[in-house]
Each structure stands twice: as structure tokens, then as C-alpha cells.
Amino acid sequence: MEAVILILGLLVVAFVALGIYVSVKIVRAASRGVDRTITQARRAVEDTTLRAKSYGQVGVVGELAQLRLALRTSMRATQEALQTGVTEDASLSESLGLFQRLSVHGRELDDELKRLEREPDKKTVASLLPGLRKRTGEITRSADSLRWAARDRARQFADDDLATLNEQIDVEAGALRHWTTEEPVPGGRDRTGAPGAPGSTRQQGPVSEPGDAGIAEAITAADPRQRTVYPWQESARPETTN
């Protein structure tokens, strides 16, 4: 009896622990989903603000907004392309690792541009713009190079697969139309033994000589009742007796 109670107690503890574990996992997953949604919303608001500044303001503030927008757009597009492609092509994992290293420099530059937007000394910021443009261009060019290389690789794989598929379909279509292909007779001779023209084909069915029909009729008399009557033939008139 004590053993049964002990087993039941252990089962209850196990179920409680399992319930707590599942609850924690669900809460964490929900929390990550909420955080992801908040991050995406914040990013969308920030991108909209940057677009408004890049088009609505001139001078240092407008140029800083353009640099940030170009940097963020390029990095985000490359990240999505590589993360999507690596699930189908494992060789892109190295490219994804390089992009993660590039992302460190991209985040540092984005933070610096963001701080300079709030810098009151616009003259000093203007003197820094040439170097900021150069850094932004180097990072975006590298990101664009990775992104387009991954896309070209995926497109090449798709083209190769399509070409192979077309070849297989052509072979299958030819096999389905096998009755339209007549086999050439080896040696260029027909079944009668007479030499034929190049490309001559086998004749289907037995070959008969001109006198075969007469010989057959002489041996076996034809039955008039079994004679084939064609629609264009006139029916025979019955003979009359006087």
C-alpha cells in the first residue's frame, strides 16, 4: 500500500513539473512573439520617420537620414535573403556568418548616425559626412554583393533543374510516341532480300508474289456466299430460264 501511495505521489509531482515546464515554454514563446512584434513595429515607425526626414529636410539632418535609411534597407534585405536561402542551401551558412560580422559594423555605424542626428553642432557633423558616406557605401556594397550572389546561386540552381526536367520530359514524350518511329532494316534490304534505298523501313506483314492469289484460288474454290461485297458494286442479277 505504501508503494502504491509513493508511486501516485511521484506521478503527481511529475505531472506538476511537466505542467510548469510547458507553461514556462508557452510564456517564453509568447514573450518572444510579443517582443518580435514590438521590434518590428518600432522598426517600421523608425523607417517611416527616416523617410520623412530624408525627403522633408535638407542639410545635415536630411543627409544623415538618407544614410541611415540606405544602410538599414540594404542590411535588412540581405539578412532576409540569406536566412531564407540557408534553409535550402547549407553552403550559404558561411555567407551568413560573414554577414553577421558585417552586421556588427552596420549597427555601430547606425548608432553613430543616430547620435549625430541629435548633435547640435551641425558644422562639425557636416565635416564628418564624407567619412560617413564612405563607410556607409562600403557596408552597403558588401551587403548587396552577398545578397545578389545568393540570389544568382539560387537562380542558377533553378535553371539547371528546369533544364534537366525539360530533357527528361523530351525523352518521355519520345517514348510515348514510339509508334511513329519505324525501325530501319539492317543492310538496307527489305524482307524480300532486294536492296532498298537508304533509310528504307521494314514492311509490316508477309510479302506475297503476284501469282500467289491465282494459285490459292485454283487450289481452293472461293465460296460465293463469303465473297466480300463493296457498297459500290452492283448486285448480281438472278439468271432466268426460258
Side-chain angles (χ1 to χ4, degrees):
M1 187 64 181
E2 294 179 355
V4 175
I5 295 174
L6 179 60
I7 294 173
L8 291 176
L10 291 176
L11 289 175
V12 171
V13 172
F15 281 124
V16 171
L18 180 61
I20 294 174
Y21 175 77
V22 172
S23 300
V24 171
K25 296 292 287 185
I26 293 175
V27 170
R28 288 181 179 177
S31 178
R32 286 194 299 268
V34 172
D35 293 340
R36 190 182 303 112
T37 302
I38 294 174
T39 301
Q40 292 176 352
R42 186 185 300 113
R43 185 183 302 158
V45 171
E46 194 167 3
D47 289 346
T48 302
T49 304
L50 288 175
R51 289 189 180 92
K53 288 182 179 179
S54 62
Y55 294 120
Q57 297 187 18
V58 294
V60 176
V61 176
E63 189 161 358
L64 289 174
Q66 291 176 4
L67 292 177
R68 286 191 66 196
L69 186 61
L71 176 65
R72 292 161 66 92
T73 303
S74 176
M75 297 295 287
R76 186 177 302 120
T78 303
Q79 182 181 18
E80 292 176 355
L82 293 178
Q83 287 181 346
T84 302
V86 77
T87 58
E88 300 177 356
D89 187 0
S91 61
L92 292 179
S93 57
E94 185 176 355
S95 300
L96 187 59
L98 293 175
F99 174 75
Q100 290 173 352
R101 294 173 56 187
L102 183 65
S103 297
V104 175
H105 297 278
R107 283 191 294 268
E108 292 177 352
L109 178 58
D110 186 67
D111 292 339
E112 184 176 356
L113 293 172
K114 189 175 181 179
R115 287 194 301 269
L116 292 176
E117 286 180 348
R118 300 188 297 267
E119 176 61 43
D121 189 358
K122 301 304 180 185
K123 185 176 180 180
T124 303
V125 175
S127 64
L128 299 175
L129 282 177
L132 296 172
R133 293 194 202 98
K134 182 179 179 181
R135 288 174 60 190
T136 304
E138 291 175 350
I139 294 175
T140 54
R141 276 194 300 272
S142 296
D144 294 343
S145 178
L146 284 174
R147 182 174 69 255
W148 284 109
R151 289 176 176 174
D152 291 343
R153 180 181 177 84
R155 188 181 303 109
Q156 183 62 40
F157 283 163
D159 292 343
D160 292 344
D161 183 69
L162 179 59
T164 303
L165 179 60
N166 288 334
E167 293 177 359
Q168 294 175 351
I169 291 175
D170 291 340
V171 172
E172 180 64 18
L176 292 175
R177 297 190 181 96
H178 67 280
W179 68 85
T180 62
T181 305
E182 296 180 350
E183 298 180 0
V185 178
R189 294 178 175 271
D190 56 18
R191 289 177 179 262
T192 62
S200 61
T201 58
R202 295 181 180 179
Q203 297 180 359
Q204 302 296 330
V207 180
S208 60
E209 297 294 337
D212 290 348
I215 296 174
E217 291 179 357
I219 295 176
T220 304
D223 188 353
R225 293 173 298 176
Q226 296 180 355
R227 184 174 301 170
T228 303
V229 179
Y230 297 96
W232 57 84
Q233 291 179 337
E234 296 180 357
S235 59
R237 296 180 179 178
E239 296 180 358
T240 58
T241 57
N242 295 327

